[in-house]
Amino acid sequence: MNIHEYQAKELLRAEGVPIPPGEIASTPEQAEAIAKKLGGMVVVKAQVHAGGRGKAGGVKLAKSPEEARELASRILGMKIKGLTVHTVLVTAAAEIASEAYVGIILDRATKKPVFMVSAAGGIDIEEVAATTPEKILKLPIDTRYGLLAYQASELGFFLFDDLKKVRAASKIMMALYQAFMKNGASLAEINPLVVTLAGDVIALDAKISIDDNELDRHPELEALRDETAEEPSEVDARNSHLTFIKLDGDVGCIVNGAGLAMATMDLVKYYGGEPANFLDIGGSSNPEKVVNALRIITAEPHVKAILFNIFGGITRTDDVANGIVTATKANPLKIPIVIRLTGTNEEIAMQILTENGFTASSDMDEAVKKAVALAKGGQAA
Ligand code: ADP
Ligand code: MG
């Protein structure tokens, strides 16, 4: 789950990270009132689940409350990387002397949170990583001990020479690590972590991604979810208790089990196609899940063919067949469908489908090849 900058900043503030004050606004008038309250120069910042807002014109400096209102009216409603801006953060402007990068990501290979810090922050850290990787210090953390004081100092010294700034940065590293662990994050970053003209070290931007699997342990974080900022199909899928991730291809996949869903996507690619999504309808069978899955997939205009791949164990294939029949009766399909099912109650399922004018097979390769061909507008092989 992604959260907004202002929400990530709240989580970091709670651990003691110094961050300029600010509030969110959804109208230009609110932005003006906040700017007036803060006094001095402010920055108006688009709140969307995307980076690079500065480059896209979504982060602007205002010298007066009137200018803050004007900038807010321009930024609200703007699209950044396809995402509409519904709110802006109005925050006190800092006088920047230098910008650094500080982040923690969960490294799946080592199964550890890894700190990444660089004095070359602010701009694309990806660019720094690609062209001058020596400017980034990577430090894996053993979660049994957490971030130890000497490690926090090491990180601080990599960024600064001045002892006062090193200490301030080390404290921020500790706080960032706490925020990362406490909130079940898969990523937490501050970019830029700036040194002000007065010599203070403060965070001007924050990004935290919460691991979806951690939400059970942190139900309070669910309140940070902003459905208006998420992919509509993913919101619908979550509310229907389906595991769904939208992708860019044109073969809509409806599969039971995450492993089979991955294997299906691999096979689609192997036969020259591109999956439009990852979708796991789950273990227990329930015709309604199939109905919801079909609704979500057919709502995507770029999906050119639907591929069902069901391995019946706990999932009863006759339930899936009934789901397909119910869903397509209510909303007749406009695109071809290829059904592969095998396992529990396979004969009954085949019969239900045949009686309702569908064809189905039990061969996965054959079904995937057929779906790929149909998505390309060709004849099924
Ligand atoms: P993004 O990473 O999405 O582009 P940032 O919040 O990092 O958005 O803002 C981009 C740049 O704008 C920062 O690198 C910084 O130079 C400047 N900036 C952001 N917030 C402030 C602020 N409160 N005061 C002064 N400058 C800021
Ligand atoms: Mg940034």
Side-chain angles (χ1 to χ4, degrees):
M1 179 177 81
N2 287 320
I3 61 175
H4 291 296
E5 173 197 0
Y6 79 92
Q7 297 169 317
K9 281 180 166 173
E10 282 310 316
L11 297 180
L12 293 181
R13 265 199 199 102
E15 303 307 322
V17 176
I19 294 167
E23 285 177 41
I24 51 161
S26 51
T27 66
E29 292 70 33
Q30 284 172 357
E32 182 178 12
I34 297 164
K36 205 173 273 173
K37 196 159 87 182
L38 290 170
M41 297 228 269
V42 296
V43 179
V44 182
K45 311 182 73 176
Q47 299 296 288
V48 283
H49 293 169
R53 294 164 302 157
K55 276 188 194 158
V59 178
K60 295 277 184 202
L61 187 74
K63 293 183 190 67
S64 67
E66 294 72 38
E67 196 181 355
R69 184 189 62 215
E70 210 164 286
L71 289 171
S73 78
R74 244 186 288 160
I75 294 172
L76 287 164
M78 181 178 177
K79 277 204 168 186
I80 298 178
K81 293 183 181 163
L83 302 162
T84 307
V85 182
H86 300 292
T87 44
V88 291
L89 170 66
V90 182
T91 180
E95 293 183 309
I96 302 170
S98 65
E99 304 197 349
Y101 172 93
V102 181
I104 309 175
I105 54 150
L106 188 68
D107 179 31
R108 287 174 200 280
T110 56
K111 299 175 185 149
K112 284 177 178 159
V114 178
F115 260 94
M116 293 203 289
V117 306
S118 175
I123 42 140
D124 302 295
I125 191 69
E126 292 84 0
E127 175 85 20
V128 177
T131 55
T132 48
E134 68 281 2
K135 288 189 180 168
I136 301 178
L137 173 66
K138 291 186 185 175
L139 182 71
I141 303 301
D142 187 328
T143 50
R144 288 172 300 180
Y145 312 120
L147 176 66
L148 299 170
Y150 82 90
Q151 294 173 311
S153 303
E154 186 185 342
L155 294 168
F157 274 114
F158 189 77
L159 296 181
F160 308 115
D161 297 323
D162 176 68
L163 209 54
K164 191 179 143 240
K165 289 179 198 124
V166 172
R167 284 210 187 96
S170 304
K171 257 178 90 173
I172 291 170
M173 307 289 175
M174 285 286 190
L176 183 65
Y177 183 75
Q178 289 304 322
F180 179 89
M181 294 303 287
K182 267 192 199 169
N183 298 300
S186 52
L187 174 147
E189 67 177 27
I190 299 173
N191 185 32
L193 178 75
V194 308
V195 177
T196 64
L197 293 181
D200 296 321
V201 183
I202 61 172
L204 290 193
D205 187 14
K207 177 173 179 183
I208 294 182
S209 301
I210 313 281
D211 185 332
D212 286 340
N213 296 312
E214 290 270 346
L215 289 170
D216 284 341
R217 278 202 275 188
H218 306 277
E220 73 284 358
L221 294 175
E222 194 60 52
L224 301 180
R225 189 186 289 287
D226 176 5
E227 290 196 338
T228 67
E230 295 181 322
E231 195 63 59
S233 56
E234 293 187 359
V235 174
D236 189 354
R238 191 176 50 251
N239 294 336
S240 308
H241 305 289
L242 298 167
T243 309
F244 174 87
I245 294 159
K246 186 173 145 53
L247 301 167
D248 295 329
D250 52 16
V251 180
C253 304
I254 302 181
V255 188
N256 71 312
L260 188 60
M262 297 298 281
T264 305
M265 291 178 3
D266 278 350
L267 212 55
V268 167
K269 286 216 158 222
Y270 180 77
Y271 286 121
E274 286 294 333
N277 63 280
F278 169 98
L279 193 154
D280 172 11
I281 60 169
S284 71
S285 57
N286 174 349
E288 204 188 314
K289 280 196 170 177
V290 176
V291 173
N292 290 333
L294 268 172
R295 180 188 69 245
I296 290 160
I297 292 212
T298 51
E300 300 288 341
H302 59 277
V303 176
K304 298 286 181 274
I306 295 169
L307 169 64
F308 264 87
N309 187 11
I310 305 298
F311 187 87
I314 298 168
T315 304
R316 286 171 36 189
T317 58
D318 55 325
D319 271 347
V320 174
N322 278 323
I324 295 173
V325 171
T326 312
T328 51
K329 269 196 183 139
N331 291 300
L333 287 175
K334 297 186 188 71
I335 51 173
I337 181 170
V338 180
I339 306 164
R340 181 262 179 165
L341 39 83
T342 187
T344 313
N345 292 353
E346 181 180 326
E347 294 78 18
I348 306 171
M350 292 292 187
Q351 196 184 338
I352 294 168
L353 290 170
T354 315
E355 278 169 6
N356 286 280
F358 291 97
T359 53
S361 83
S362 59
D363 186 311
M364 180 157 154
D365 274 87
E366 192 187 298
V368 172
K369 270 194 231 170
K370 198 166 156 185
V372 169
L374 287 167
K376 287 189 172 152
Q379 287 294 311

